[in-house]
Amino acid sequence: MFLTIAFLITAISARATEGMWIPSLISMFYSDMKTNGLKLKAEDIYATNKSSLKDAIVQFDGGCTAEIVSAEGLLLTNHHCGYDAIQKLSSLEKDYLKNGFWAKNRSEELQCPGLYVTFVKEIREVTKEVLAGVKPEMTAAERNALIKKNIAEIEKKSAVTGNIKAKIKPFNNNNQYFMLVTEDFNDIRLVGTPPNAIGKFGGDTDNWVWPRHTGDFSVFRIYANKENKSSEYSAENKAFKPDHFLPISVKPRKEGDFTMVYGFPGRTDQHYCSEKIRFYQDIERPARIAMRTATMDQMKPAMNDNDLVRIKYSAKQASIANAWKKWIGQIGGLKALNAVAKKQQWETEYATKTNSDPQWKARYGNVINDMNTLTKSASKYEFGRAMFTEYFYYGPEFINFCFGFNGLLNNYEKLEKEQKLSKEIDNLKESADAFFKDYDAGLDFKIMKVTTPLYIKYCDPKMLPAGFSENWEKNGENIFKNSLMLNPEKLKNTLSNLTPEAIELLKKDPALVYANELYNGYASSYAQGASEFASEENRLLQLYVEGILTMFPKKKNWADANSTLRIAYGKIEGSAPHDGMSYKHFTTIDGIMQKYDPANPDFELTQRFIDLYNKKDYGTYTQDGKLWVCFTASNHTTGGNSGSPVIDAKGNLLGINFDRSWESTMSDFVFDPSRCRNIVVDARYVLWVIEKYGEAGHLLKEMKLVR
Ligand code: ARG
Ligand code: ASP
């Protein structure tokens, strides 16, 4: 009896695991992964002298993750990660967003200019070298300067050739440093994508929500030159031959099965103090949410009414809505968890610990108090910067567009003298083309009308240009009626025949003046405070985390995500975050039909999908007669983990990570094993869509399916 209880307790405590672990430090967490069910050897997961799982995983376009699933460089990532590339290749005639796209052979695979992927060749700890000469009594400025110098020297010494780069990044709030040796590949082509009605099924309504039915995947391929090396696009390039690719498991899955997410989580902030959590929960997030709600309330109907506007704004709208909804979930999760009180409790424990040793007391005794006091007195600067960001970068779009012209306008003569003028003009013409391709001035004016009053409401009046509150509306009318900057034809002509007079005219353009005054208003009043707040906060966080590493060496400490390659492990499992109900760990294609609603664009289906569903032709991809669409697991993930492979105990692909449940989005600050779940599109559904819906069965021949 006692034995069973003890066993049960370990079984339960071995469930969800907090943390995003550094692969090269695998010896730290390998045995725990084995306890959780892993069957691989450590060197199968990360090695530098032979191929390992890491060689099948890339960072996708600097943000998401993707994995190689064939010996011919075939890549799987999320639909939402490929979205930008897919959208750029789309037009009214070739609407790949709406209809999907499947290359029938290599020659039909589509070049994606600018898209790249990054391999990690090695991760090496260099903390000792970077901190050489650093003394505890140094000021933050002295410490930072020395570290910067050390890093530059080590990077220079380690410089490698071609597309291979060696870069040192701080970990654990500047307490640890690692060198990352990476290699970029720049010829990436689109192989296939399902239509939005599959890849984005559920849309923003279901985003961050479980139960989920999104086929959030797309297929690309890496191309390389004759030597299998990285190369710019060339018609002569061949499919890349990877050191490793992931076999795909089509075996039945069950709750409790080991899962590992191997990818590039972007950012977490587990060490923020209690006041900072309160600041996000009660002040910053609510204001940002309100700004974005206003913008999206204008976008949605405009997009629903007009197909062209829909195509132009789909990617922009998705990106604004995504963070907006995450923040709403975060607030809910932080409150439900009582995160502020929990943090305070931990802070007391930390402070008490410092009392046990006079040296600790001297070094770490005040840090908690200092962090909370700093937040109370100076987080208003971060708030100001957040509001500025929301208005300037996510509000009316003409503002940021115009701002981009300052380089030319302020340096005209210099550029001419240095013979850089025509290049600068070409760049601006290109960025203007890209801007106007996806721009609707009428909609932008509406957005200006709703976001500006909010900006005024939230800002310290010091941030606003003189007369802003009284004149913005009048200025807006003038801008949208008369601005040359917003007239694509005239702007192009002006740029093509640029004269000193035209430069003067552009400098006085009302849209440009509006952008510059707005920028100067923030820059002159708040920008410095914001950067001082950030650097003081970073200084304290370094000290605070140093204290954790010193005083709590047994605590399972993991370094916050920083867009480097990490491993998170857990299990397939459901959750029960709300009283009286529980979430199953998987969804099936039947749920897609239940959600189907032709009147709601988020839940549309194509006739082809409905026909296939009615035929019930699920091939060999079912489990107990059902075709799974998504499942949840308890891996600690964050933004950037999208597209990450979810790998089984033997190294096979189970599915593609793409989201977290709404109840878990606070895991960027605090992880709760009982409710934090990542959401995965099942590989068997992906294969079914490729084979049956896309009729691209030839791709499956490249893959290795494990039955
Ligand atoms: N929430 C996911 C992530 O943060 C997926 C977003 C894409 N889907 C969407 N409906 N916007 O990236
Ligand atoms: N959807 C996110 C991404 O794009 C993943 C997450 O935040 O859980 O990376």
Side-chain angles (χ1 to χ4, degrees):
M1 176 67 186
F2 275 119
L3 252 175
T4 15
I5 290 178
F7 174 75
L8 266 180
I9 289 171
T10 44
I12 289 167
S13 68
R15 272 185 154 183
T17 325
E18 172 175 348
M20 303 170 185
W21 304 90
I22 302 168
S24 58
L25 303 185
I26 189 158
S27 57
M28 267 176 68
F29 54 95
Y30 177 67
S31 72
D32 199 36
M33 285 207 289
K34 285 212 84 163
T35 314
N36 277 267
L38 177 73
K39 297 278 187 289
L40 296 171
K41 293 200 259 327
E43 77 226 41
D44 299 331
I45 295 172
Y46 176 89
T48 50
N49 53 358
K50 63 169 210 108
S51 70
S52 62
L53 285 184
K54 87 163 179 8
D55 301 316
I57 297 156
V58 291
Q59 191 173 39
F60 186 83
D61 214 17
C64 283
T65 307
E67 53 276 6
I68 304 177
V69 291
S70 89
E72 304 276 302
L74 202 62
L75 274 182
L76 290 179
T77 187
N78 291 143
H79 182 258
H80 79 263
C81 295
Y83 206 81
D84 253 355
I86 300 165
Q87 193 222 12
K88 281 190 193 134
L89 294 167
S90 289
S91 59
L92 269 182
E93 300 76 49
K94 292 184 180 169
D95 193 343
Y96 301 143
L97 295 174
K98 189 164 183 174
N99 305 317
F101 165 80
W102 303 97
K104 293 288 166 233
N105 53 53
R106 295 280 157 89
S107 70
E108 285 182 17
E109 298 181 359
L110 296 174
Q111 183 196 353
C112 303
L115 183 62
Y116 68 102
V117 301
T118 308
F119 284 89
V120 175
K121 304 184 82 75
E122 193 186 345
I123 307 168
R124 193 187 326 149
E125 177 153 17
V126 289
T127 308
K128 256 208 210 111
E129 296 89 318
V130 169
L131 294 183
V134 171
K135 305 248 158 44
E137 60 275 13
M138 282 179 163
T139 65
E142 288 164 349
R143 187 180 195 273
N144 293 343
L146 182 57
I147 288 175
K148 205 169 152 195
K149 180 170 151 275
N150 288 348
I151 287 182
E153 274 167 20
I154 309 167
E155 279 182 346
K156 201 166 151 207
K157 255 201 327 239
S158 327
V160 254
T161 49
N163 263 15
I164 301 181
K165 293 181 202 119
K167 195 148 180 41
I168 295 175
K169 276 196 163 200
F171 286 66
N172 258 324
N173 303 80
N174 297 305
N175 283 292
Q176 252 184 321
Y177 294 83
F178 286 81
M179 175 181 284
L180 304 142
V181 182
T182 60
E183 182 172 19
D184 285 352
F185 278 73
N186 299 308
D187 185 354
I188 310 300
R189 302 187 199 169
L190 177 65
V191 174
T193 174
N196 273 353
I198 293 174
K200 213 187 164 197
F201 183 77
D204 291 330
T205 313
D206 271 7
N207 191 20
W208 300 111
V209 167
W210 184 259
R212 192 63 160 278
H213 297 84
T214 314
D216 196 343
F217 81 94
S218 54
V219 191
F220 290 80
R221 190 189 302 280
I222 308 176
Y223 279 76
N225 67 15
K226 278 199 234 60
E227 286 80 44
N228 201 35
K229 292 268 171 339
S230 164
S231 150
E232 290 303 319
Y233 171 83
S234 153
E236 261 93 80
N237 283 350
K238 298 261 179 314
F240 172 67
K241 307 256 183 298
D243 287 338
H244 184 70
F245 69 90
L246 301 179
I248 301 178
S249 165
V250 293
K251 287 186 193 176
R253 295 103 164 78
K254 59 178 189 316
E255 208 164 15
D257 283 355
F258 174 86
T259 57
M260 168 167 80
V261 175
Y262 207 162
F264 292 84
R267 175 172 181 167
T268 54
D269 291 289
Q270 61 178 311
H271 295 304
Y272 277 150
C273 64
S274 51
E275 277 305 320
K276 192 72 188 285
I277 300 295
R278 193 203 303 281
F279 165 72
Y280 284 130
Q281 178 189 289
D282 295 344
I283 299 170
E284 196 253 21
R285 293 299 195 242
R288 287 195 130 168
I289 290 166
M291 298 273 280
R292 290 191 183 206
T293 305
T295 296
M296 289 187 314
D297 283 350
Q298 301 303 317
M299 281 184 177
K300 249 222 146 110
M303 289 169 70
N304 286 348
D305 286 353
N306 181 321
D307 263 358
L308 192 59
V309 176
R310 176 182 57 78
I311 292 179
K312 285 177 168 186
Y313 277 74
S314 57
K316 294 188 271 199
Q317 194 270 353
S319 115
I320 291 177
N322 192 40
W324 167 83
K325 196 163 179 188
K326 175 172 74 175
W327 294 332
I328 297 174
Q330 265 174 0
I331 295 178
L334 290 172
K335 287 186 177 164
L337 254 191
N338 247 323
V340 175
K342 286 228 169 69
K343 275 267 171 184
Q344 285 168 338
Q345 225 174 7
W346 156 248
E347 288 171 356
T348 311
E349 195 185 319
Y350 183 104
T352 311
K353 189 87 178 179
T354 65
N355 289 333
S356 60
D357 177 319
Q359 266 181 341
W360 290 351
K361 177 89 190 155
R363 190 153 172 84
Y364 312 118
N366 293 329
V367 69
I368 300 273
N369 197 11
D370 289 351
M371 286 199 296
N372 284 313
T373 310
L374 174 75
T375 307
K376 276 193 218 154
S377 68
S379 56
K380 65 173 187 208
Y381 291 107
E382 183 174 326
F383 184 74
R385 188 183 63 193
M387 292 302 99
F388 177 73
T389 303
E390 286 302 317
Y391 188 64
F392 198 87
Y393 296 103
Y394 296 95
E397 279 180 274
F398 78 88
I399 299 176
N400 189 31
F401 170 65
C402 290
F403 196 73
F405 279 71
N406 280 316
L408 168 72
L409 301 183
N410 299 334
N411 306 304
Y412 177 68
E413 279 161 22
K414 187 163 167 258
L415 288 166
E416 197 169 33
K417 228 186 266 151
E418 293 171 2
Q419 298 188 337
K420 290 183 185 148
L421 190 60
S422 65
K423 175 117 190 33
E424 176 74 12
I425 292 174
D426 286 348
N427 287 346
L428 285 174
K429 275 190 189 160
E430 224 173 86
S431 86
D433 282 346
F435 176 76
F436 287 117
K437 174 177 180 278
D438 292 333
Y439 186 65
D440 185 282
L443 176 54
D444 208 33
F445 193 18
K446 287 187 184 155
I447 291 172
M448 180 187 189
K449 285 184 191 156
V450 293
T451 50
T452 312
L454 286 174
Y455 188 60
I456 294 169
K457 171 178 146 191
Y458 289 125
C459 279
D460 183 335
K462 275 193 249 157
M463 279 173 65
L464 302 173
F468 185 82
S469 308
E470 301 80 46
N471 299 327
W472 70 268
E473 214 161 354
K474 211 168 64 224
N475 286 337
E477 287 189 4
N478 185 24
I479 288 167
F480 283 94
K481 211 150 105 208
N482 301 318
S483 166
L484 195 154
M485 294 293 304
L486 295 188
N487 184 324
E489 290 312 310
K490 276 195 194 161
L491 180 62
K492 209 168 197 170
N493 275 336
T494 311
L495 288 174
S496 300
N497 310 298
L498 205 59
T499 58
E501 294 73 46
I503 292 283
E504 289 317 306
L505 203 70
L506 281 176
K507 278 188 184 167
K508 286 193 207 107
D509 185 273
L512 209 118
V513 170
Y514 189 90
N516 281 337
E517 286 186 349
L518 193 74
Y519 181 84
N520 293 335
Y522 165 73
S524 64
S525 62
Y526 259 58
Q528 194 183 344
S531 76
E532 279 169 10
F533 171 68
S535 62
E536 180 59 3
E537 184 178 55
N538 284 337
R539 181 185 78 78
L540 292 168
L541 278 167
Q542 184 272 319
L543 192 61
Y544 165 68
V545 174
E546 184 193 300
I548 297 179
L549 297 173
T550 312
M551 301 186 295
F552 301 87
K554 293 220 181 75
K555 200 172 181 290
K556 259 187 95 184
N557 182 67
W558 57 280
D560 267 318
N562 59 356
S563 293
T564 60
L565 188 61
R566 301 296 183 96
I567 293 170
Y569 56 97
K571 300 193 166 193
I572 294 180
E573 60 179 319
S575 59
H578 301 287
D579 186 40
M581 63 181 281
S582 74
Y583 291 140
K584 266 212 227 172
H585 57 287
F586 69 95
T587 59
T588 71
I589 195 167
D590 298 326
I592 296 183
M593 296 311 293
Q594 288 162 13
K595 283 180 177 174
Y596 170 49
D597 178 1
N600 181 346
D602 282 351
F603 296 98
E604 274 167 356
L605 289 173
T606 61
Q607 191 54 47
R608 180 170 171 69
F609 187 93
I610 298 169
D611 292 344
L612 279 170
Y613 174 79
N614 288 333
K615 262 177 48 195
K616 304 264 183 294
D617 176 12
Y618 300 142
T620 52
Y621 303 124
T622 54
Q623 171 165 350
D624 303 323
K626 300 270 185 208
L627 182 63
W628 286 28
V629 175
C630 296
F631 63 85
T632 56
S634 50
N635 300 284
H636 194 176
T637 54
T638 188
N641 268 127
S642 273
S644 298
V646 180
I647 298 170
D648 71 7
K650 294 184 174 159
N652 305 312
L653 186 73
L654 291 169
I656 312 169
N657 187 72
F658 71 97
D659 210 4
R660 279 168 287 166
S661 67
W662 220 10
E663 295 84 356
S664 12
T665 52
M666 80 299 175
S667 67
D668 291 348
F669 303 118
V670 271
F671 184 83
D672 176 5
S674 76
R675 57 191 275 151
C676 288
R677 296 293 175 268
N678 56 316
I679 302 179
V680 187
V681 56
D682 195 300
R684 296 169 298 181
Y685 181 62
V686 170
L687 295 174
W688 179 77
V689 171
I690 294 177
E691 183 185 331
K692 305 287 179 182
Y693 189 93
E695 292 178 324
H698 58 284
L699 295 174
L700 270 61
K701 297 208 179 88
E702 291 181 36
M703 305 174 187
K704 185 171 156 196
L705 306 195
V706 180
R707 296 181 191 281

